[in-house]
Amino acid sequence: KARMLLNDGAPASEALTQLREAVKADPYLPAAQYTLGLAAFAERSLDEAAKAFEEAVRLRPQAAAARMQLARVKLAQGDTAGAVVIAERAANERPANAGAALLLSQTLRASGNPDRARAELTTRLASGHVREAPLHAELGWVELQRGEVTAARKAFYEALRATPRSAAARRGIIAAQLADRRIDAARRQVGEWAAAGPAHDAQLQLLSADVELTAGNVAEGKHGRRHGEP
């Protein structure tokens, strides 16, 4: 029932109470521990989430999903070294899984190792066995962290080519333009997307606000953020 509550969009706090009782009744059920971890993570109860995911992995060592969630919790706790170790194992166990490769790169970036993140991503992209769009977008962020703005822009446009309305790719393209202080180019790009898409696109309003804030137009930028945020 608690898992259904989570899936139906009910408050995580409601599911969390029921899941604690379920785990207390049967602490050796991996699915219950995993779902407890999800609910605790949603409520930002990080220590409880980590404990639940660790127990889910202990009970079912092949549970890659629980291992990946544990890496995300470790990142949220600031334990980047621990997150890298866990994410690396998950990626090695699921070499064709884009989510696992993406998570490994994110943990490496967070640990201050963008060069290794780049190597991991390019190896997996070269294999041709993973969905490319999210990895190209992630590669863009890696290149930005490395200070390679041209390479970052290329990676983000490659992600956009594969998924034309990708929010991550669009956000990255604008970030790359702004990193290069190409403010007019960033404005034009947001304008082109707005002209081609639905009116009142909140994502584009936020990107436009970022451009104006970077340009020093604080009032206009703040106004755009208010209208773009949910």
Side-chain angles (χ1 to χ4, degrees):
K1 182 180 176 182
R3 185 67 178 264
M4 290 174 62
L5 286 172
L6 277 179
N7 291 340
D8 290 343
S13 56
E14 185 179 343
L16 188 55
T17 300
Q18 295 190 24
L19 284 160
R20 285 170 178 157
E21 292 301 317
V23 167
K24 189 182 297 184
D26 188 355
Y28 301 107
L29 188 63
Q33 293 283 1
Y34 177 75
T35 312
L36 173 61
L38 292 177
F41 198 10
E43 285 293 288
R44 306 301 293 172
S45 181
L46 299 182
D47 289 344
E48 184 176 14
K51 182 179 177 182
F53 289 132
E54 284 168 354
E55 191 63 15
V57 170
R58 186 187 71 81
L59 292 168
R60 186 177 292 167
Q62 72 274 25
R67 201 179 301 281
M68 289 168 65
Q69 290 293 351
L70 178 58
R72 293 185 179 100
V73 173
K74 293 291 185 184
L75 265 187
Q77 290 177 315
D79 181 6
T80 55
V84 168
V85 171
I86 297 165
E88 185 169 24
R89 178 167 175 181
N92 288 338
E93 288 175 349
R94 307 179 81 177
N97 185 283
L102 187 65
L103 179 61
L104 176 56
S105 176
Q106 289 168 341
T107 61
L108 287 167
R109 277 202 292 128
S111 70
N113 197 347
D115 290 341
R116 188 178 161 209
R118 183 182 186 278
E120 292 286 349
L121 287 171
T122 52
T123 297
R124 283 167 168 77
L125 283 166
S127 74
H129 296 312
V130 292
R131 282 182 59 235
E132 293 187 1
L135 296 194
H136 278 297
E138 173 62 15
L139 180 59
W141 293 112
V142 168
E143 295 291 16
L144 271 185
Q145 188 171 345
R146 296 177 69 243
E148 301 290 343
V149 180
T150 300
R153 191 180 301 112
K154 180 181 177 182
F156 288 129
Y157 272 111
E158 187 63 30
L160 195 67
R161 183 192 64 77
T163 308
R165 294 183 60 80
S166 166
R170 285 179 168 184
R171 190 167 65 249
I173 288 166
I174 297 307
Q177 301 281 35
L178 297 181
D180 235 6
R181 299 299 300 176
R182 298 175 61 181
I183 292 171
D184 288 339
R187 278 199 190 103
R188 284 196 301 272
Q189 182 64 85
V190 174
E192 288 173 10
W193 289 331
H200 309 300
D201 187 317
Q203 172 204 126
L204 295 181
Q205 286 181 330
L206 290 174
L207 288 179
S208 179
D210 288 343
V211 172
E212 297 311 323
L213 287 169
T214 303
N217 300 324
V218 178
E220 188 174 347
K222 287 183 175 179
H223 177 77
R225 280 218 153 269
R226 283 195 300 270
H227 285 270
E229 289 173 350

